[in-house]
PDB file of all heavy atoms in Angstrom:
ATOM      1  N   PHE P 855     139.770  86.207 154.129  1.00  0.00           N
ATOM      2  CA  PHE P 855     139.654  86.996 152.903  1.00  0.00           C
ATOM      3  C   PHE P 855     140.454  88.292 153.018  1.00  0.00           C
ATOM      4  O   PHE P 855     141.156  88.687 152.087  1.00  0.00           O
ATOM      5  CB  PHE P 855     138.187  87.317 152.579  1.00  0.00           C
ATOM      6  CG  PHE P 855     138.067  88.244 151.404  1.00  0.00           C
ATOM      7  CD1 PHE P 855     138.191  87.761 150.112  1.00  0.00           C
ATOM      8  CD2 PHE P 855     137.886  89.613 151.592  1.00  0.00           C
ATOM      9  CE1 PHE P 855     138.133  88.620 149.025  1.00  0.00           C
ATOM     10  CE2 PHE P 855     137.821  90.480 150.514  1.00  0.00           C
ATOM     11  CZ  PHE P 855     137.947  89.980 149.222  1.00  0.00           C
ATOM     12  N   LEU P 856     140.333  88.963 154.175  1.00  0.00           N
ATOM     13  CA  LEU P 856     141.065  90.222 154.356  1.00  0.00           C
ATOM     14  C   LEU P 856     142.572  90.030 154.279  1.00  0.00           C
ATOM     15  O   LEU P 856     143.288  90.877 153.739  1.00  0.00           O
ATOM     16  CB  LEU P 856     140.668  90.882 155.687  1.00  0.00           C
ATOM     17  CG  LEU P 856     139.218  91.374 155.770  1.00  0.00           C
ATOM     18  CD1 LEU P 856     138.903  91.864 157.181  1.00  0.00           C
ATOM     19  CD2 LEU P 856     138.925  92.453 154.732  1.00  0.00           C
ATOM     20  N   GLU P 857     143.071  88.903 154.796  1.00  0.00           N
ATOM     21  CA  GLU P 857     144.509  88.591 154.693  1.00  0.00           C
ATOM     22  C   GLU P 857     144.909  88.427 153.231  1.00  0.00           C
ATOM     23  O   GLU P 857     145.942  88.937 152.803  1.00  0.00           O
ATOM     24  CB  GLU P 857     144.846  87.319 155.470  1.00  0.00           C
ATOM     25  CG  GLU P 857     144.872  87.510 156.961  1.00  0.00           C
ATOM     26  CD  GLU P 857     145.085  86.193 157.704  1.00  0.00           C
ATOM     27  OE1 GLU P 857     145.743  85.275 157.157  1.00  0.00           O
ATOM     28  OE2 GLU P 857     144.579  86.087 158.845  1.00  0.00           O
ATOM     29  N   LEU P 858     144.095  87.702 152.481  1.00  0.00           N
ATOM     30  CA  LEU P 858     144.351  87.498 151.058  1.00  0.00           C
ATOM     31  C   LEU P 858     144.321  88.833 150.307  1.00  0.00           C
ATOM     32  O   LEU P 858     145.222  89.134 149.514  1.00  0.00           O
ATOM     33  CB  LEU P 858     143.300  86.538 150.481  1.00  0.00           C
ATOM     34  CG  LEU P 858     143.316  86.324 148.967  1.00  0.00           C
ATOM     35  CD1 LEU P 858     144.612  85.639 148.533  1.00  0.00           C
ATOM     36  CD2 LEU P 858     142.104  85.510 148.533  1.00  0.00           C
ATOM     37  N   GLU P 859     143.310  89.643 150.585  1.00  0.00           N
ATOM     38  CA  GLU P 859     143.179  90.956 149.922  1.00  0.00           C
ATOM     39  C   GLU P 859     144.390  91.832 150.237  1.00  0.00           C
ATOM     40  O   GLU P 859     144.960  92.477 149.352  1.00  0.00           O
ATOM     41  CB  GLU P 859     141.889  91.623 150.390  1.00  0.00           C
ATOM     42  CG  GLU P 859     141.642  92.980 149.764  1.00  0.00           C
ATOM     43  CD  GLU P 859     140.330  93.599 150.217  1.00  0.00           C
ATOM     44  OE1 GLU P 859     140.035  93.575 151.442  1.00  0.00           O
ATOM     45  OE2 GLU P 859     139.600  94.111 149.354  1.00  0.00           O
ATOM     46  N   ASN P 860     144.801  91.854 151.499  1.00  0.00           N
ATOM     47  CA  ASN P 860     145.953  92.655 151.913  1.00  0.00           C
ATOM     48  C   ASN P 860     147.211  92.216 151.170  1.00  0.00           C
ATOM     49  O   ASN P 860     147.974  93.038 150.657  1.00  0.00           O
ATOM     50  CB  ASN P 860     146.146  92.544 153.423  1.00  0.00           C
ATOM     51  CG  ASN P 860     147.240  93.453 153.944  1.00  0.00           C
ATOM     52  OD1 ASN P 860     147.376  94.601 153.545  1.00  0.00           O
ATOM     53  ND2 ASN P 860     148.045  92.928 154.850  1.00  0.00           N
ATOM     54  N   LYS P 861     147.405  90.902 151.083  1.00  0.00           N
ATOM     55  CA  LYS P 861     148.594  90.354 150.417  1.00  0.00           C
ATOM     56  C   LYS P 861     148.615  90.729 148.930  1.00  0.00           C
ATOM     57  O   LYS P 861     149.630  91.188 148.408  1.00  0.00           O
ATOM     58  CB  LYS P 861     148.606  88.824 150.588  1.00  0.00           C
ATOM     59  CG  LYS P 861     149.801  88.140 149.993  1.00  0.00           C
ATOM     60  CD  LYS P 861     149.751  86.641 150.239  1.00  0.00           C
ATOM     61  CE  LYS P 861     150.799  85.944 149.399  1.00  0.00           C
ATOM     62  NZ  LYS P 861     150.578  84.519 149.300  1.00  0.00           N
ATOM     63  N   VAL P 862     147.495  90.532 148.254  1.00  0.00           N
ATOM     64  CA  VAL P 862     147.416  90.839 146.824  1.00  0.00           C
ATOM     65  C   VAL P 862     147.647  92.339 146.593  1.00  0.00           C
ATOM     66  O   VAL P 862     148.437  92.736 145.740  1.00  0.00           O
ATOM     67  CB  VAL P 862     146.062  90.394 146.229  1.00  0.00           C
ATOM     68  CG1 VAL P 862     145.868  90.935 144.812  1.00  0.00           C
ATOM     69  CG2 VAL P 862     145.955  88.864 146.222  1.00  0.00           C
ATOM     70  N   ASN P 863     146.976  93.187 147.367  1.00  0.00           N
ATOM     71  CA  ASN P 863     147.086  94.631 147.176  1.00  0.00           C
ATOM     72  C   ASN P 863     148.471  95.171 147.528  1.00  0.00           C
ATOM     73  O   ASN P 863     148.931  96.133 146.918  1.00  0.00           O
ATOM     74  CB  ASN P 863     146.007  95.369 147.973  1.00  0.00           C
ATOM     75  CG  ASN P 863     144.619  95.144 147.414  1.00  0.00           C
ATOM     76  OD1 ASN P 863     144.448  94.648 146.309  1.00  0.00           O
ATOM     77  ND2 ASN P 863     143.614  95.502 148.188  1.00  0.00           N
ATOM     78  N   ALA P 864     149.132  94.556 148.508  1.00  0.00           N
ATOM     79  CA  ALA P 864     150.463  95.009 148.919  1.00  0.00           C
ATOM     80  C   ALA P 864     151.518  94.675 147.861  1.00  0.00           C
ATOM     81  O   ALA P 864     152.621  95.232 147.889  1.00  0.00           O
ATOM     82  CB  ALA P 864     150.839  94.396 150.261  1.00  0.00           C
ATOM     83  N   GLN P 865     151.183  93.795 146.928  1.00  0.00           N
ATOM     84  CA  GLN P 865     152.138  93.385 145.900  1.00  0.00           C
ATOM     85  C   GLN P 865     151.870  94.034 144.542  1.00  0.00           C
ATOM     86  O   GLN P 865     152.514  93.683 143.551  1.00  0.00           O
ATOM     87  CB  GLN P 865     152.115  91.862 145.751  1.00  0.00           C
ATOM     88  CG  GLN P 865     152.606  91.142 146.993  1.00  0.00           C
ATOM     89  CD  GLN P 865     152.406  89.634 146.911  1.00  0.00           C
ATOM     90  OE1 GLN P 865     151.747  89.117 146.035  1.00  0.00           O
ATOM     91  NE2 GLN P 865     152.995  88.921 147.861  1.00  0.00           N
ATOM     92  N   ILE P 866     150.941  94.979 144.494  1.00  0.00           N
ATOM     93  CA  ILE P 866     150.621  95.625 143.219  1.00  0.00           C
ATOM     94  C   ILE P 866     151.809  96.431 142.725  1.00  0.00           C
ATOM     95  O   ILE P 866     152.383  97.235 143.467  1.00  0.00           O
ATOM     96  CB  ILE P 866     149.384  96.537 143.351  1.00  0.00           C
ATOM     97  CG1 ILE P 866     148.127  95.693 143.542  1.00  0.00           C
ATOM     98  CG2 ILE P 866     149.233  97.462 142.143  1.00  0.00           C
ATOM     99  CD1 ILE P 866     146.875  96.480 143.870  1.00  0.00           C
ATOM    100  N   THR P 867     152.183  96.167 141.484  1.00  0.00           N
ATOM    101  CA  THR P 867     153.174  97.005 140.819  1.00  0.00           C
ATOM    102  C   THR P 867     152.440  97.641 139.658  1.00  0.00           C
ATOM    103  O   THR P 867     151.765  96.949 138.889  1.00  0.00           O
ATOM    104  CB  THR P 867     154.389  96.195 140.327  1.00  0.00           C
ATOM    105  OG1 THR P 867     153.923  95.144 139.490  1.00  0.00           O
ATOM    106  CG2 THR P 867     155.178  95.621 141.478  1.00  0.00           C
ATOM    107  N   ALA P 868     152.548  98.948 139.551  1.00  0.00           N
ATOM    108  CA  ALA P 868     151.786  99.644 138.522  1.00  0.00           C
ATOM    109  C   ALA P 868     152.499 100.918 138.119  1.00  0.00           C
ATOM    110  O   ALA P 868     153.259 101.496 138.895  1.00  0.00           O
ATOM    111  CB  ALA P 868     150.388  99.967 139.049  1.00  0.00           C
ATOM    112  N   SER P 869     152.212 101.339 136.914  1.00  0.00           N
ATOM    113  CA  SER P 869     152.702 102.609 136.412  1.00  0.00           C
ATOM    114  C   SER P 869     151.631 103.181 135.496  1.00  0.00           C
ATOM    115  O   SER P 869     151.078 102.453 134.664  1.00  0.00           O
ATOM    116  CB  SER P 869     154.011 102.383 135.640  1.00  0.00           C
ATOM    117  OG  SER P 869     154.424 103.582 135.038  1.00  0.00           O
ATOM    118  N   ARG P 870     151.327 104.449 135.687  1.00  0.00           N
ATOM    119  CA  ARG P 870     150.295 105.105 134.889  1.00  0.00           C
ATOM    120  C   ARG P 870     149.012 104.260 134.896  1.00  0.00           C
ATOM    121  O   ARG P 870     148.489 103.881 133.866  1.00  0.00           O
ATOM    122  CB  ARG P 870     150.778 105.369 133.470  1.00  0.00           C
ATOM    123  CG  ARG P 870     151.916 106.382 133.419  1.00  0.00           C
ATOM    124  CD  ARG P 870     152.460 106.618 132.017  1.00  0.00           C
ATOM    125  NE  ARG P 870     151.427 106.897 131.031  1.00  0.00           N
ATOM    126  CZ  ARG P 870     150.883 108.096 130.787  1.00  0.00           C
ATOM    127  NH1 ARG P 870     151.279 109.132 131.479  1.00  0.00           N
ATOM    128  NH2 ARG P 870     149.961 108.250 129.851  1.00  0.00           N
ATOM    129  N   THR P 871     148.543 103.988 136.125  1.00  0.00           N
ATOM    130  CA  THR P 871     147.395 103.107 136.318  1.00  0.00           C
ATOM    131  C   THR P 871     146.410 103.734 137.297  1.00  0.00           C
ATOM    132  O   THR P 871     146.817 104.331 138.294  1.00  0.00           O
ATOM    133  CB  THR P 871     147.860 101.734 136.865  1.00  0.00           C
ATOM    134  OG1 THR P 871     148.789 101.164 135.939  1.00  0.00           O
ATOM    135  CG2 THR P 871     146.703 100.771 137.062  1.00  0.00           C
ATOM    136  N   VAL P 872     145.121 103.586 136.990  1.00  0.00           N
ATOM    137  CA  VAL P 872     144.066 103.938 137.935  1.00  0.00           C
ATOM    138  C   VAL P 872     143.643 102.625 138.598  1.00  0.00           C
ATOM    139  O   VAL P 872     143.294 101.664 137.914  1.00  0.00           O
ATOM    140  CB  VAL P 872     142.868 104.605 137.241  1.00  0.00           C
ATOM    141  CG1 VAL P 872     141.751 104.873 138.245  1.00  0.00           C
ATOM    142  CG2 VAL P 872     143.283 105.900 136.549  1.00  0.00           C
ATOM    143  N   ILE P 873     143.709 102.593 139.927  1.00  0.00           N
ATOM    144  CA  ILE P 873     143.440 101.383 140.699  1.00  0.00           C
ATOM    145  C   ILE P 873     142.146 101.581 141.493  1.00  0.00           C
ATOM    146  O   ILE P 873     142.002 102.561 142.217  1.00  0.00           O
ATOM    147  CB  ILE P 873     144.609 101.093 141.671  1.00  0.00           C
ATOM    148  CG1 ILE P 873     145.929 100.959 140.910  1.00  0.00           C
ATOM    149  CG2 ILE P 873     144.317  99.859 142.525  1.00  0.00           C
ATOM    150  CD1 ILE P 873     147.170 101.083 141.781  1.00  0.00           C
ATOM    151  N   ALA P 874     141.213 100.654 141.324  1.00  0.00           N
ATOM    152  CA  ALA P 874     139.987 100.666 142.126  1.00  0.00           C
ATOM    153  C   ALA P 874     140.081  99.502 143.100  1.00  0.00           C
ATOM    154  O   ALA P 874     140.223  98.349 142.689  1.00  0.00           O
ATOM    155  CB  ALA P 874     138.755 100.502 141.232  1.00  0.00           C
ATOM    156  N   THR P 875     140.033  99.818 144.386  1.00  0.00           N
ATOM    157  CA  THR P 875     140.144  98.773 145.410  1.00  0.00           C
ATOM    158  C   THR P 875     138.765  98.287 145.824  1.00  0.00           C
ATOM    159  O   THR P 875     137.764  98.962 145.597  1.00  0.00           O
ATOM    160  CB  THR P 875     140.855  99.311 146.677  1.00  0.00           C
ATOM    161  OG1 THR P 875     140.056 100.350 147.236  1.00  0.00           O
ATOM    162  CG2 THR P 875     142.242  99.820 146.356  1.00  0.00           C
ATOM    163  N   GLY P 876     138.738  97.154 146.478  1.00  0.00           N
ATOM    164  CA  GLY P 876     137.519  96.688 147.117  1.00  0.00           C
ATOM    165  C   GLY P 876     137.274  97.557 148.339  1.00  0.00           C
ATOM    166  O   GLY P 876     138.208  98.139 148.902  1.00  0.00           O
ATOM    167  N   GLY P 877     136.029  97.643 148.783  1.00  0.00           N
ATOM    168  CA  GLY P 877     135.686  98.479 149.923  1.00  0.00           C
ATOM    169  C   GLY P 877     136.407  98.111 151.202  1.00  0.00           C
ATOM    170  O   GLY P 877     136.642  98.958 152.064  1.00  0.00           O
ATOM    171  N   SER P 878     136.808  96.841 151.319  1.00  0.00           N
ATOM    172  CA  SER P 878     137.473  96.374 152.544  1.00  0.00           C
ATOM    173  C   SER P 878     138.991  96.513 152.487  1.00  0.00           C
ATOM    174  O   SER P 878     139.673  96.175 153.449  1.00  0.00           O
ATOM    175  CB  SER P 878     137.092  94.925 152.822  1.00  0.00           C
ATOM    176  OG  SER P 878     137.423  94.099 151.723  1.00  0.00           O
ATOM    177  N   ALA P 879     139.540  97.036 151.405  1.00  0.00           N
ATOM    178  CA  ALA P 879     140.997  97.149 151.264  1.00  0.00           C
ATOM    179  C   ALA P 879     141.630  97.941 152.410  1.00  0.00           C
ATOM    180  O   ALA P 879     142.777  97.682 152.779  1.00  0.00           O
ATOM    181  CB  ALA P 879     141.341  97.796 149.923  1.00  0.00           C
ATOM    182  N   VAL P 880     140.879  98.890 152.978  1.00  0.00           N
ATOM    183  CA  VAL P 880     141.437  99.743 154.038  1.00  0.00           C
ATOM    184  C   VAL P 880     141.725  98.988 155.335  1.00  0.00           C
ATOM    185  O   VAL P 880     142.394  99.520 156.214  1.00  0.00           O
ATOM    186  CB  VAL P 880     140.548 100.971 154.341  1.00  0.00           C
ATOM    187  CG1 VAL P 880     140.577 101.960 153.210  1.00  0.00           C
ATOM    188  CG2 VAL P 880     139.133 100.555 154.679  1.00  0.00           C
ATOM    189  N   TYR P 881     141.270  97.762 155.459  1.00  0.00           N
ATOM    190  CA  TYR P 881     141.624  96.957 156.632  1.00  0.00           C
ATOM    191  C   TYR P 881     143.060  96.431 156.524  1.00  0.00           C
ATOM    192  O   TYR P 881     143.616  95.975 157.514  1.00  0.00           O
ATOM    193  CB  TYR P 881     140.672  95.766 156.790  1.00  0.00           C
ATOM    194  CG  TYR P 881     139.247  96.136 157.144  1.00  0.00           C
ATOM    195  CD1 TYR P 881     138.195  95.719 156.346  1.00  0.00           C
ATOM    196  CD2 TYR P 881     138.964  96.891 158.275  1.00  0.00           C
ATOM    197  CE1 TYR P 881     136.873  96.039 156.665  1.00  0.00           C
ATOM    198  CE2 TYR P 881     137.651  97.205 158.600  1.00  0.00           C
ATOM    199  CZ  TYR P 881     136.617  96.780 157.794  1.00  0.00           C
ATOM    200  OH  TYR P 881     135.313  97.097 158.112  1.00  0.00           O
ATOM    201  N   GLY P 882     143.626  96.461 155.344  1.00  0.00           N
ATOM    202  CA  GLY P 882     144.981  95.947 155.117  1.00  0.00           C
ATOM    203  C   GLY P 882     146.019  97.039 155.264  1.00  0.00           C
ATOM    204  O   GLY P 882     146.256  97.820 154.337  1.00  0.00           O
ATOM    205  N   LYS P 883     146.655  97.121 156.420  1.00  0.00           N
ATOM    206  CA  LYS P 883     147.623  98.188 156.710  1.00  0.00           C
ATOM    207  C   LYS P 883     148.784  98.179 155.710  1.00  0.00           C
ATOM    208  O   LYS P 883     149.150  99.228 155.158  1.00  0.00           O
ATOM    209  CB  LYS P 883     148.139  98.019 158.142  1.00  0.00           C
ATOM    210  CG  LYS P 883     149.062  99.115 158.614  1.00  0.00           C
ATOM    211  CD  LYS P 883     149.456  98.875 160.077  1.00  0.00           C
ATOM    212  CE  LYS P 883     150.224 100.034 160.672  1.00  0.00           C
ATOM    213  NZ  LYS P 883     151.586 100.130 160.221  1.00  0.00           N
ATOM    214  N   GLU P 884     149.373  97.015 155.459  1.00  0.00           N
ATOM    215  CA  GLU P 884     150.507  96.944 154.539  1.00  0.00           C
ATOM    216  C   GLU P 884     150.097  97.374 153.139  1.00  0.00           C
ATOM    217  O   GLU P 884     150.802  98.127 152.476  1.00  0.00           O
ATOM    218  CB  GLU P 884     151.092  95.516 154.481  1.00  0.00           C
ATOM    219  CG  GLU P 884     151.695  95.038 155.790  1.00  0.00           C
ATOM    220  CD  GLU P 884     150.653  94.522 156.790  1.00  0.00           C
ATOM    221  OE1 GLU P 884     149.467  94.396 156.454  1.00  0.00           O
ATOM    222  OE2 GLU P 884     151.044  94.252 157.932  1.00  0.00           O
ATOM    223  N   ALA P 885     148.958  96.903 152.703  1.00  0.00           N
ATOM    224  CA  ALA P 885     148.471  97.247 151.366  1.00  0.00           C
ATOM    225  C   ALA P 885     148.217  98.740 151.247  1.00  0.00           C
ATOM    226  O   ALA P 885     148.610  99.371 150.262  1.00  0.00           O
ATOM    227  CB  ALA P 885     147.183  96.470 151.048  1.00  0.00           C
ATOM    228  N   MET P 886     147.585  99.337 152.237  1.00  0.00           N
ATOM    229  CA  MET P 886     147.259 100.758 152.156  1.00  0.00           C
ATOM    230  C   MET P 886     148.515 101.627 152.217  1.00  0.00           C
ATOM    231  O   MET P 886     148.618 102.624 151.501  1.00  0.00           O
ATOM    232  CB  MET P 886     146.258 101.156 153.250  1.00  0.00           C
ATOM    233  CG  MET P 886     144.862 100.599 153.025  1.00  0.00           C
ATOM    234  SD  MET P 886     144.165 100.880 151.359  1.00  0.00           S
ATOM    235  CE  MET P 886     144.259 102.661 151.225  1.00  0.00           C
ATOM    236  N   GLU P 887     149.479 101.229 153.034  1.00  0.00           N
ATOM    237  CA  GLU P 887     150.741 101.981 153.070  1.00  0.00           C
ATOM    238  C   GLU P 887     151.444 101.890 151.716  1.00  0.00           C
ATOM    239  O   GLU P 887     151.994 102.871 151.223  1.00  0.00           O
ATOM    240  CB  GLU P 887     151.626 101.478 154.211  1.00  0.00           C
ATOM    241  CG  GLU P 887     151.091 101.914 155.571  1.00  0.00           C
ATOM    242  CD  GLU P 887     151.823 101.310 156.761  1.00  0.00           C
ATOM    243  OE1 GLU P 887     152.747 100.481 156.553  1.00  0.00           O
ATOM    244  OE2 GLU P 887     151.458 101.651 157.903  1.00  0.00           O
ATOM    245  N   HIS P 888     151.409 100.699 151.123  1.00  0.00           N
ATOM    246  CA  HIS P 888     152.005 100.498 149.793  1.00  0.00           C
ATOM    247  C   HIS P 888     151.294 101.361 148.752  1.00  0.00           C
ATOM    248  O   HIS P 888     151.945 102.043 147.957  1.00  0.00           O
ATOM    249  CB  HIS P 888     151.930  99.015 149.425  1.00  0.00           C
ATOM    250  CG  HIS P 888     152.316  98.713 148.021  1.00  0.00           C
ATOM    251  ND1 HIS P 888     153.607  98.863 147.563  1.00  0.00           N
ATOM    252  CD2 HIS P 888     151.580  98.287 146.955  1.00  0.00           C
ATOM    253  CE1 HIS P 888     153.651  98.539 146.269  1.00  0.00           C
ATOM    254  NE2 HIS P 888     152.439  98.189 145.882  1.00  0.00           N
ATOM    255  N   LEU P 889     149.963 101.323 148.752  1.00  0.00           N
ATOM    256  CA  LEU P 889     149.193 102.103 147.771  1.00  0.00           C
ATOM    257  C   LEU P 889     149.418 103.603 147.956  1.00  0.00           C
ATOM    258  O   LEU P 889     149.483 104.351 146.980  1.00  0.00           O
ATOM    259  CB  LEU P 889     147.708 101.754 147.856  1.00  0.00           C
ATOM    260  CG  LEU P 889     147.356 100.344 147.357  1.00  0.00           C
ATOM    261  CD1 LEU P 889     145.925  99.981 147.711  1.00  0.00           C
ATOM    262  CD2 LEU P 889     147.598 100.211 145.858  1.00  0.00           C
ATOM    263  N   ARG P 890     149.580 104.059 149.189  1.00  0.00           N
ATOM    264  CA  ARG P 890     149.878 105.483 149.439  1.00  0.00           C
ATOM    265  C   ARG P 890     151.254 105.857 148.888  1.00  0.00           C
ATOM    266  O   ARG P 890     151.466 106.993 148.474  1.00  0.00           O
ATOM    267  CB  ARG P 890     149.809 105.809 150.932  1.00  0.00           C
ATOM    268  CG  ARG P 890     148.379 106.016 151.428  1.00  0.00           C
ATOM    269  CD  ARG P 890     148.332 106.397 152.895  1.00  0.00           C
ATOM    270  NE  ARG P 890     149.085 107.598 153.210  1.00  0.00           N
ATOM    271  CZ  ARG P 890     148.609 108.840 153.139  1.00  0.00           C
ATOM    272  NH1 ARG P 890     147.374 109.053 152.746  1.00  0.00           N
ATOM    273  NH2 ARG P 890     149.363 109.875 153.470  1.00  0.00           N
ATOM    274  N   GLU P 891     152.187 104.902 148.889  1.00  0.00           N
ATOM    275  CA  GLU P 891     153.528 105.168 148.357  1.00  0.00           C
ATOM    276  C   GLU P 891     153.543 105.241 146.831  1.00  0.00           C
ATOM    277  O   GLU P 891     154.258 106.050 146.255  1.00  0.00           O
ATOM    278  CB  GLU P 891     154.514 104.083 148.809  1.00  0.00           C
ATOM    279  CG  GLU P 891     154.985 104.240 150.228  1.00  0.00           C
ATOM    280  CD  GLU P 891     155.873 103.088 150.655  1.00  0.00           C
ATOM    281  OE1 GLU P 891     156.498 102.429 149.791  1.00  0.00           O
ATOM    282  OE2 GLU P 891     155.938 102.832 151.866  1.00  0.00           O
ATOM    283  N   ILE P 892     152.769 104.364 146.191  1.00  0.00           N
ATOM    284  CA  ILE P 892     152.844 104.275 144.724  1.00  0.00           C
ATOM    285  C   ILE P 892     151.762 105.082 144.008  1.00  0.00           C
ATOM    286  O   ILE P 892     151.732 105.100 142.779  1.00  0.00           O
ATOM    287  CB  ILE P 892     152.795 102.808 144.231  1.00  0.00           C
ATOM    288  CG1 ILE P 892     151.418 102.177 144.495  1.00  0.00           C
ATOM    289  CG2 ILE P 892     153.937 101.990 144.839  1.00  0.00           C
ATOM    290  CD1 ILE P 892     151.159 100.899 143.715  1.00  0.00           C
ATOM    291  N   SER P 893     150.867 105.743 144.765  1.00  0.00           N
ATOM    292  CA  SER P 893     149.757 106.426 144.109  1.00  0.00           C
ATOM    293  C   SER P 893     149.198 107.555 144.966  1.00  0.00           C
ATOM    294  O   SER P 893     149.530 107.687 146.139  1.00  0.00           O
ATOM    295  CB  SER P 893     148.636 105.425 143.815  1.00  0.00           C
ATOM    296  OG  SER P 893     148.039 104.959 145.012  1.00  0.00           O
TER     297      SER P 893
END
């Protein structure tokens, strides 16, 4: 599940968006680095 969550979150493209992650999103290094870049 964490691999799936990381993959989905790392591919988020957004503009003028408020994003609420699942509590376990922080286990996904790629996703969190991506989210820190775009938000």
Side-chain angles (χ1 to χ4, degrees):
F855 174 79
L856 293 174
E857 285 175 30
L858 174 65
E859 180 178 46
N860 185 42
K861 182 178 169 196
V862 170
N863 290 347
Q865 295 172 350
I866 290 172
T867 55
S869 174
R870 294 178 50 84
T871 302
V872 176
I873 302 163
T875 63
S878 57
V880 290
Y881 293 124
K883 185 177 188 285
E884 296 81 7
M886 290 310 304
E887 288 173 357
H888 171 68
L889 290 169
R890 280 182 58 87
E891 282 176 24
I892 68 164
S893 67

